[in-house]
Structures are given as C-alpha cells and as structure tokens.
Amino acid sequence: MKKILIILLLSGCSGVFAQSLAPLSIEKIMRDPKWIGVAPSNVRWSDDSKKIYFNWNPENADRDQLFAITPTDIKPAKVSLDERKAMIPEFGDWNKKHTLKVFEKNGDVFLSDLVSGKITQLTNTAEREGSPSFSGDESKIIFTRGENLFSFKIASGELVQLTNFTHSAAATPAPAASGRRGGGRRAATDVVAGNDQERWLKAQQLELFDIIKVKDKDRKLDSIERKEFEVKKLKEIAVDDKSVGDVVLSPDGRYVTYRLAKYPEGVKSAIVPNYVTASGFTEDIPNRTKVGEPQAAYESFVFDTQKDTVYKINTTTIPGIKDLPDYVKDYPKELERRTKANEDRKLVIRGPFWSEDSKYAMVEITAQDNKDLWVMKLDPATGSLTPMDRERNEAWVGGAGQGNVGWTDNTHFYFESEASGYAHIYLLGAATGTKKQLTTGKWEVQSLQLSKDKKTFYFIGNIEHPGVTHFYRIPVTGGEPVKITSMKGGNEVTLSPDEKWLAIRYSFSNKPWELYVQPNKPGAKAEQVTNSTTAEFKSYPWREPQVITFKNRYGSDVYARLYVPEKQDPAKPAVVFVHGAGYLQNVHFWWSSYFREYMFNNMLADNGYVVLDVDYSGSAGYGRDWRTAIYRHMGGKDLTDQEDGVKMLVEKYGVNPKHVGLYGGSYGGFITLMALFTEPDTWAAGGAIRSVTDWAHYNHGYTSSILNEPFTDEKSYRISSPIYFANGLKGNLLMLHGMVDQNVNYQDIIRLSQKLIELHKENWELASYPVEDHGFVQPSSWTDEYKRIFKLFETTLKKP
C-alpha cells in the first residue's frame, strides 16, 4: 500500500525522532540564539566623533540595549534614556565645512550646530517633512512636505513653497443652459456676450445709459489696479493620477527635477492566509504580485523656475533605446512583433546628481528589461541627454557597488561598473567625456565612501581572497589600494565623521561578530571592545571549515567550505548544504548569517558525515560572469556545481556515492528539489526548506532579471521550475515550509504536493509550520525542522 505523509506541525512534536549527542544536539543548537551570545549591531558614531553607539545584550536580557564607548575609553556603558531621547539621527546632510547638520526626526526638520551643540527645530507640523538638505549656497534648507518641495531661509525663517503638483479631480457636469425646461434662471451679471445677439444688446446699453458707462469704466480701472497688486501664483504642475517622487533642486535653485510614476490598475496580488490568529478566525495577509505582472511606467521632468516652464527629459535619443534582448531570438513570433513595433524600452531615471556649481548634472538610467545601465549628462535647459557610459549585459546588469555615485570635484563624476567583469570604480570627465578605471583586478569594490576633502576613496573589497574583506583607501585619481585593516575574516567598517577612527565589526568563520576600534592608519592595532559569546558556546571546539576550491566541469574554480569528521562513519555518508540566493555568499572567513546551519554542519561532522558548502554559480563575491551564470536556467550550472562537488568528495575523501544527501532553504530548497528531480541517481535524500517550486509564482524584481517574464520567455521558466520535473523523484524527499511565508508563498509547496500526489510518488513528506514566515522565528519550529532533517539523513544515508 502506498503511503504519502503530510505532517501539520502545531509545535515541536514530542514523539518525533531525537538523539542525544555530546556535546551537540538539535535541541541545543536550535534554541533561542541568545545562548550563543548577542553580538553588537547597528554601530554608528556621534556627529562629533567622540562616541561610538551600538546595540548589545551582554546580560541576555529580553531586549538589546544601547551602549556607548569613546575611542580612548573602550569600556561599554549603557546609554541613559535622556541621552537616547536627545540623540541626533545618524543620517542627514552636512554643510561644506561639516559644522552644521540638517536632519529629520519624527517627521520634522532640525538643524544641529556641531560647534555650539545647539539644536534648532525648524518645523513643527502635523504634516510630515523629510529629505532635508542644504541649498547650494547653504543659506536655505530644502525639504519635502507631501509631494512638494519647500525651502526654509535660515537667517530669516522665511518658508517658500517651490513646487505645486496638482492631481486631476473628477470632472463636474456643465450647468444646464438658461431657458431650457428644468433649467435655472441666470442673473443679469452672469450674461456672457458669447453670441451676436448678446453682444448687440450690450453695445445698446452702453449707448443709451450713462450709468452703464460709469460702471463699465470703474470695472476697467478696478481690473488694472488688481493686476498691479496681484501676487504671482506658484505654477501649478498637473500630474493627473500619477505619483510624484525623486524631487530634486539644483544647487543654484533654478531647476527642479522630478519623476512621475503611473501604476497599472487591476493587478492581482497574492493572499497569504493566517490560520493562528488572536481572533480565532482565519485572516488574510495581503501579499506581493507575481513575476510578469504589469509594472509602473516612469517619466522624468525638469521645471525651470526662471522660465516657469516644465518639460520632459527626452529619452528617445538614448543609444540602444530600441535594442532587443538576445533571448527573443528563441521566439520568432515575439521577435517579429517587437521588431515591427519598434518601441522604445521602458526606463527608470535616477537622479540627477548635480555638481556643486550646478554646471553639470548626471543621471543613471536603467532599462526595465534589466539589460542596460546608462550614465548620461543632462542639459537641464532643454531636457536633452548626452551619453557618457553604457553598461550592457545580455543577462542582467547588477552586482556589488551599484548605485555608488557622486562628484570628486565640479568636473569629475564617479560610479561603479562591472564593465571589466568585476565591480570597480570609474571616473568620468563631465566636460570631456573621458572615462578612467581607478581600481582593477579579479575582486570587487563592495562599498564606497568619499572623504570629506574629496581627495580619497575609502572602500571595502575582497582583494586578498573572495572570502576575506578589508578596508582600503586610494586617491581619487587612482593608484594602488592601501589596506588599513589587518584582521583576516570579515571587516565591517564605520568611519568616524572626523575620519580619524574606525569602528570595526569583525568576525571569523568560527567566531561571531565583535566590536573593535582602530585609528585610521594602516597597520594600527584594532582594540577589542566587546566579548559577547557565552561560556557555553565557547565550551565546544567549533570547527574552522576548510576553504577549498575544486574544478567544475567547465574548468572554473568553485569555492567551498569543507567539514571533515575526525572519525568517518562506516557508511561514508556526505551532506551538501546549499545556501540561499538573492545574491549571497557563504564560503568566506567570517561568521555566517547561516549560523544555525554552521552549527548543524558541525553536528553532522561529529556524527561521521563529510559536509560540503558550495558557493555555486550565481553566488556573490566572484564577479559578473559567475553572478550571471544562472541566466535563463536556474537549476543548471548552479546544480552541476553541487554535482561536481560530490564527485570531488568521492574521489578525494572516500565518500560513498550512494550515501549523499543535501539540504537548504529558499534557493537552497529549490536546488534540493531540482537535484532530487533531475539528478536522482546522485542524491539519496534531500531536505527542501521554504523552497521555490515554480518561478512563475515568485516575485517580479528578482525573477525577471534572471528568467525574463513567463509570457515572453516560457522556455526559461519551464527548464528552471522543479514542478515540471517532479516525476524524476527517486530518493527520499522531506519538504518543510512556513504557512505564512510572505516571500515564497505556502501555495508553492502545496502545488508541488498536489503534483506529487497525482504522480503517485511515495518517498516524500511535507512538514508545515503554521506560525512561521520565510525566516523561522520560534525555536520550537527550528528544533522540529532540523530534527526531521537529521532523522532523514540518519535513516537514509547510513544504510548498509
């Protein structure tokens, strides 16, 4: 008799498989992570560079608390409630001398004087003000209220509205004509001489009666006088039913640029039912749309305040505006339709980014089909664009550092691009159009910051190794990067406002994050501030995974973490862990965001398993070609990298090829399904957590970049979606999914379950978690989930 088991879990089940392990057990490692110790987080400096604030919980309290240190006194002290109330938000806009800062707090605008310490509240309204900044001459504060832009003159307090966006109102019916049946009577003063008869009567009245002549003369004089005293009204900018955003004022105050968005009507969104509610009734959670649904259409405009004129930024002359993506060649009818239509592609304009003297304005323009990113110079007087740089990628434009832009002086604009294959810094001459690459090599610039004097770039990069990050500096003109940090692992650096100190959040592969302070000098010693891990956590000798490389079938180096047991189980089993996606890296020398899986992998090794964790094709940290290797085929090279890893384990580490399993969540769950469905002879068992089962049901932003859209590139969705390959299942499959998952909806796993039922498949189970979203929260859920995965491996991978 065939058996299909679907398990609905209301809490951790007392009767499920459990095994007591020394020193690790599922119950121990899947507890509330406070047992590890709470690492410092949300590190930021005070504006005067005298204090470092951070959230921390060394006492294992219910909630993290705010602590502070100084660069010279690194003993953490709790921040009082009064000090917390008075704290200035981290973000805001500084004047050129870095003595004044304007910021928004609780929907109002404030001005802070760094020298005197005085804070002045500039607005106190029921409406919300935001995005404050200094005007080009620093005499005014520019901010938004609603959709409109305002300026506040610092010296006098004068408030001026700069834009007046108006939305279309419902049309009102015209009044009924006088004299018609049912119509009202018009007053004599309402008569408008609109026809020959009315004009004749008016002329007759002026001819016959002096009183009419006097009144007519008075009206004319009143009209002339009113014009003399009339205040010029702010131009109304009609935007119909579109949304206004990205409103920017040029430094000289002449031009206002803005973007309008028209959102499609009638677009369906998914609904996530919530079963465990306070009311006792099932409640629906409104969710996202699915890939391929119509997207917003954007247009950008310039308002010339001197000419009182509005005009659209002209995108029709952009190089390649009509270029079609290569994939449509696979669909002759679609290619013919698009070629015949000869339409401009839909775009989104970001910016402009103005030089301080207002002479130049640059914009970044992205194609909504994800294939192009242009940097262009905007002529605000005409709305025309001049090409400066174009990054074309037949897969999709993306990667580290995107969006890092700005000016090093009034004539040089910097940005990041993957043009060389890796994310690097480029400098454009605004006047000449020359482009210079400032950094180069098979590594990435992952964050970028310009010094206050605009002479130095600071950045985080993985120059030494894809899995090691350090803080570097180079001159804005280019040169050899100078490494400032020295600790091998992950270095998350926050530079002090005076640029004299570094606050470093540092970790290693087997040591969670801690806070350090270091002078901003190469080779300077980093002083450890926090010691967060508990004695219980330290009592276990956590492995430092070996970071290895192996060649895949295409000849590329694949990076992986390897856990080798001290004593291999006689069955010689192996487990492959597959990390999630969204552009993610897990083979590195810092503490993993997958810390539960890291501990579980240690436990597997304790139990005789060889464990492999692969940065497969599509992972972050390795440049453009690796990032886009999954284009149009998820479950292709990303899966064969796992397969090639198993081959390496069999050849080098004596693993039994019949005793190999894998597990992972989200994209890792998707790969687990594809592995068991399309390469069933390699995998004896798999644990698929919160898995995508059909990419046509995932979101638009992520999926359309990689697979285009289902109705224009159906082939990509068919070869990339596990639901089409479910008939290939041979091994033992355990699926686990949160029922209120708002990322990968529970519907995904239910649709696959129905498919497996219809295919009469037997070796599968579904464990459902009623209160869990995409990222599980309850320790009972984590415990139950990994008990089931461990039981799966123990019972299937250790068979004789």
Side-chain angles (χ1 to χ4, degrees):
M1 182 177 179
K2 297 179 179 179
K3 296 181 180 179
I4 299 173
L5 178 61
I6 301 179
I7 308 162
L8 183 66
L9 303 176
L10 299 177
S11 64
C13 301
S14 59
V16 297
F17 175 88
Q19 180 177 348
S20 177
L21 294 173
L24 294 183
S25 67
I26 300 293
E27 289 84 358
K28 177 176 181 176
I29 62 180
M30 297 299 164
R31 284 179 290 165
D32 185 324
K34 287 179 182 176
W35 81 271
I36 300 170
V38 180
S41 63
N42 196 21
V43 179
R44 65 266 195 208
W45 287 87
S46 62
D47 286 344
D48 59 9
S49 300
K50 292 180 179 180
K51 283 189 176 182
I52 303 170
Y53 295 102
F54 57 97
N55 294 347
W56 197 32
N57 192 352
E59 299 169 352
N60 199 17
D62 290 338
R63 301 178 65 182
D64 293 3
Q65 294 178 292
L66 188 65
F67 285 78
I69 60 167
T70 70
T72 54
D73 182 2
I74 61 173
K75 183 179 180 180
K78 291 181 183 178
V79 177
S80 68
L81 180 61
D82 289 341
E83 184 177 352
R84 286 164 54 197
K85 287 180 178 180
M87 283 178 62
I88 296 173
E90 178 183 2
F91 300 104
D93 188 50
W94 288 92
N95 65 351
K96 295 182 182 68
K97 293 183 179 179
H98 218 74
T99 56
L100 298 175
K101 177 182 175 181
V102 61
F103 60 92
E104 177 265 328
K105 187 175 183 179
N106 301 323
D108 287 307
V109 178
F110 295 78
L111 182 65
S112 169
D113 188 321
L114 186 63
V115 178
S116 66
K118 182 181 179 182
I119 299 175
T120 305
Q121 184 166 356
L122 304 183
T123 66
N124 190 349
T125 67
E127 292 184 87
R128 188 174 188 87
E129 289 89 25
S131 304
S133 63
F134 287 96
S135 62
D137 62 6
E138 300 186 340
S139 66
K140 306 179 189 72
I141 303 298
I142 310 300
F143 62 89
T144 58
R145 177 184 291 167
E147 293 179 327
N148 285 301
L149 205 62
F150 291 78
S151 76
F152 179 91
K153 191 171 289 186
I154 298 173
S156 65
E158 180 187 12
L159 181 66
V160 177
Q161 184 171 342
L162 302 178
T163 62
N164 184 21
F165 296 111
T166 60
H167 293 271
S168 57
T172 54
S178 178
R180 292 185 180 181
R181 185 171 298 176
R185 180 180 296 173
R186 289 193 302 184
T189 54
D190 292 333
V191 174
V192 178
N195 56 49
D196 291 342
Q197 171 65 11
E198 291 176 349
R199 281 193 293 272
W200 185 89
L201 287 173
K202 183 176 182 180
Q204 185 194 42
Q205 294 296 89
L206 283 171
E207 178 187 348
L208 293 176
F209 302 106
D210 290 340
I211 185 64
I212 299 296
K213 295 176 182 178
V214 171
K215 288 183 177 180
D216 187 59
K217 183 178 180 180
D218 285 343
R219 276 196 297 271
K220 290 177 179 178
L221 290 173
D222 287 344
S223 177
I224 293 170
E225 189 171 314
R226 279 197 302 272
K227 287 183 179 179
E228 291 295 328
F229 284 91
E230 191 176 68
V231 177
K232 183 181 178 182
K233 292 183 178 179
L234 182 61
K235 181 181 180 65
E236 291 187 355
I237 303 174
V239 297
D240 300 322
D241 58 347
K242 299 172 183 175
S243 298
V244 181
D246 207 16
V247 186
V248 178
L249 180 70
S250 62
D252 62 7
R254 175 174 175 176
Y255 299 103
V256 177
T257 56
Y258 58 94
R259 185 171 66 203
L260 298 183
K262 172 68 174 177
Y263 293 95
E265 298 178 356
V267 176
K268 284 188 177 181
S269 295
I271 297 294
V272 176
N274 187 5
Y275 292 94
V276 182
T277 63
S279 67
F281 292 89
T282 300
E283 298 173 4
D284 289 339
I285 303 172
N287 195 233
R288 54 168 172 78
T289 61
K290 298 188 179 187
V291 59
E293 288 287 357
Q295 301 299 298
Y298 298 95
E299 299 173 295
S300 292
F301 294 82
V302 178
F303 171 30
D304 186 336
T305 61
Q306 286 187 12
K307 295 182 178 179
D308 208 28
T309 305
V310 171
Y311 37 89
K312 185 179 175 181
I313 294 177
N314 179 20
T315 59
T316 60
T317 60
I318 293 176
I321 187 63
K322 298 180 186 294
D323 287 357
L324 298 179
D326 283 352
Y327 80 86
V328 297
K329 295 174 183 176
D330 289 350
Y331 304 93
K333 289 184 178 179
E334 178 68 11
L335 177 61
E336 181 182 0
R337 184 193 70 79
R338 293 199 192 190
T339 303
K340 186 176 181 180
N342 195 33
E343 295 174 339
D344 288 357
R345 287 185 285 161
K346 293 182 178 179
L347 306 169
V348 181
I349 297 179
R350 178 171 172 256
F353 307 95
W354 291 90
S355 60
E356 287 186 0
D357 60 3
S358 294
K359 188 174 180 180
Y360 298 108
M362 295 289 187
V363 294
E364 275 196 333
I365 304 176
T366 54
Q368 285 189 321
D369 65 7
N370 310 303
K371 311 301 181 190
D372 274 291
L373 172 63
W374 294 270
V375 177
M376 305 197 78
K377 183 166 59 177
L378 170 67
D379 180 359
T382 63
S384 62
L385 296 167
T386 301
M388 302 297 285
D389 184 73
R390 178 186 182 185
E391 184 180 353
R392 172 78 175 182
N393 193 320
E394 281 298 336
W396 75 98
V397 176
Q402 209 179 41
N404 290 331
V405 300
W407 293 88
T408 60
D409 55 36
N410 282 325
T411 59
H412 290 92
F413 182 77
Y414 69 87
F415 65 100
E416 282 199 56
S417 170
E418 282 187 326
S420 69
Y422 292 81
H424 284 295
I425 311 168
Y426 292 79
L427 200 63
L428 280 174
T432 62
T434 57
K435 182 172 72 171
K436 180 181 180 182
Q437 185 174 346
L438 301 185
T439 57
T440 184
K442 293 183 178 181
W443 52 273
E444 297 180 333
V445 174
Q446 298 181 348
S447 72
L448 184 61
Q449 179 179 347
L450 184 64
S451 64
K452 287 190 301 181
D453 62 10
K454 297 190 175 184
K455 293 180 179 179
T456 303
F457 281 122
Y458 293 103
F459 67 87
I460 290 176
N462 57 354
I463 297 176
E464 293 184 352
H465 185 279
V468 175
T469 59
H470 280 294
F471 192 62
Y472 297 86
R473 71 167 188 239
I474 61 165
V476 295
T477 53
E480 191 68 25
V482 176
K483 187 174 74 170
I484 302 175
T485 53
S486 58
M487 298 180 290
K488 181 182 178 181
N491 290 273
E492 297 178 356
V493 176
T494 306
L495 185 64
S496 64
D498 63 9
E499 300 178 358
K500 294 180 180 179
W501 295 90
L502 311 180
I504 307 169
R505 221 171 73 104
Y506 166 79
S507 72
F508 195 67
S509 55
N510 60 353
K511 295 181 177 64
W513 298 96
E514 300 289 1
L515 180 62
Y516 292 73
V517 177
Q518 176 188 321
N520 184 16
K521 297 177 182 178
K525 184 181 179 182
E527 298 286 346
Q528 185 170 348
V529 174
T530 60
N531 192 341
S532 307
T533 50
T534 64
E536 183 182 9
F537 177 81
K538 293 175 182 176
S539 68
Y540 177 83
W542 299 101
R543 290 169 175 82
E544 177 187 334
Q546 299 177 43
V547 175
I548 65 169
T549 62
F550 61 89
K551 294 288 184 182
N552 66 14
R553 64 192 63 185
Y554 305 104
S556 301
D557 286 328
V558 181
Y559 285 79
R561 278 184 165 190
L562 180 67
Y563 302 76
V564 179
E566 291 184 12
K567 183 179 180 181
Q568 192 174 28
D569 186 89
K572 298 182 179 180
V575 170
V576 175
F577 168 63
V578 189
H579 69 66
Y583 202 44
L584 188 143
Q585 178 183 12
N586 201 48
V587 179
H588 47 62
F589 287 92
W590 58 87
W591 183 248
S592 176
S593 58
Y594 288 97
F595 62 91
R596 291 183 180 89
E597 288 73 15
Y598 165 76
M599 294 188 292
F600 184 61
N601 291 341
N602 271 266
M603 193 187 103
L604 288 173
D606 285 347
N607 282 268
Y609 294 86
V610 176
V611 183
L612 189 69
D613 175 1
V614 178
D615 265 352
Y616 50 84
S617 296
S619 297
Y622 305 94
R624 179 193 62 206
D625 294 344
W626 197 256
R627 176 179 66 80
T628 60
I630 57 174
Y631 177 59
R632 299 190 71 199
H633 190 186
M634 292 193 265
K637 290 183 178 180
D638 43 4
L639 176 55
T640 58
D641 286 342
Q642 319 288 341
E643 295 267 323
D644 296 340
V646 171
K647 181 181 177 183
M648 180 269 299
L649 293 181
V650 172
E651 293 174 352
K652 292 187 177 182
Y653 295 91
V655 165
N656 187 330
K658 294 183 179 181
H659 292 167
V660 181
L662 78 167
Y663 79 102
S666 195
Y667 199 96
F670 152 74
I671 287 291
T672 300
L673 294 175
M674 288 293 276
L676 267 68
F677 294 170
T678 66
E679 299 290 342
D681 295 331
T682 303
W683 311 96
I689 309 167
R690 51 189 180 274
S691 317
V692 176
T693 69
D694 186 347
W695 288 107
H697 290 258
Y698 197 52
N699 67 32
H700 185 88
Y702 177 79
T703 319
S704 66
S705 294
I706 304 172
L707 299 180
N708 304 307
E709 294 175 314
F711 56 89
T712 61
D713 196 3
E714 184 179 0
K715 293 177 183 177
S716 295
Y717 282 81
R718 282 188 172 271
I719 64 174
S720 299
S721 296
I723 199 166
Y724 291 106
F725 303 97
N727 195 45
L729 176 64
K730 292 182 182 178
N732 296 273
L733 171 62
L734 170 64
M735 302 183 297
L736 312 103
H737 214 106
M739 294 177 69
V740 288
D741 193 329
Q742 297 179 57
N743 183 357
V744 181
N745 296 160
Y746 186 63
Q747 181 192 23
D748 256 45
I749 209 68
I750 293 300
R751 292 177 72 245
L752 179 59
S753 297
Q754 178 61 28
K755 188 66 177 177
L756 291 169
I757 291 169
E758 292 179 4
L759 291 169
H760 305 288
K761 294 295 180 181
E762 300 178 6
N763 298 326
W764 65 278
E765 298 178 3
L766 170 61
S768 301
Y769 296 82
V771 301
E772 297 296 353
D773 199 337
H774 194 62
F776 282 21
V777 173
Q778 298 301 319
S780 58
S781 299
W782 281 104
T783 300
D784 191 279
E785 180 178 52
Y786 275 88
K787 275 186 176 181
R788 295 181 182 277
I789 295 172
F790 185 61
K791 179 182 179 180
L792 172 72
F793 294 152
E794 288 283 278
T795 56
T796 60
L797 303 184
K798 291 184 176 180
K799 291 181 178 179

